[in-house]
Amino acid sequence: MDEKARREYWRKNVRLLSVLLAIWALVSFGAGIFFADALNGIEVAGFPVGFWFANQGSILVFLALIAVYVWRMDKLDKDFGIDIDDYEGEVHHS
């Protein structure tokens, strides 16, 4: 892969990470902390939504974001012609 393609690949990777981390921060801090009082006025299955996000929802959203990251990175790797099988068993030392 040439230098221009590497930069483009890394730019898209950082952009994806930035969007996913922003979603995670909004859910974790926004729904779980900052807006918890307002969300606690809404109940789902007998639990206040703010409490649910602080204790369960942010973890589930985080796991979903990991799945989205893996899916999107697989697509990005294919778009740039990167095959993980080419790197299996290869050890890199710094």
Side-chain angles (χ1 to χ4, degrees), residues 32-91:
I33 297 171
F34 299 125
F35 304 117
D37 291 336
L39 291 172
N40 280 336
I42 305 167
E43 287 191 8
V44 174
F47 294 100
V49 173
F51 173 80
W52 184 84
F53 267 109
N55 291 283
Q56 303 294 329
S58 61
I59 295 168
L60 296 176
V61 169
F62 183 68
L63 291 174
L65 292 174
I66 291 170
V68 169
Y69 179 75
V70 168
W71 169 63
R72 294 296 297 159
M73 285 305 297
D74 281 347
K75 184 179 180 326
L76 186 63
D77 287 348
K78 286 178 186 168
D79 290 348
F80 280 83
I82 297 170
D83 186 3
I84 193 68
D85 293 333
D86 293 343
Y87 300 99
E88 282 187 16
E90 198 171 306
V91 177

Side-chain angles (χ1 to χ4, degrees), residues 11-25:
R11 185 186 66 77
K12 288 184 177 190
N13 183 11
V14 170
R15 187 163 155 213
L16 175 62
L17 278 172
S18 298
V19 168
L20 295 177
L21 285 173
I23 292 169
W24 174 71

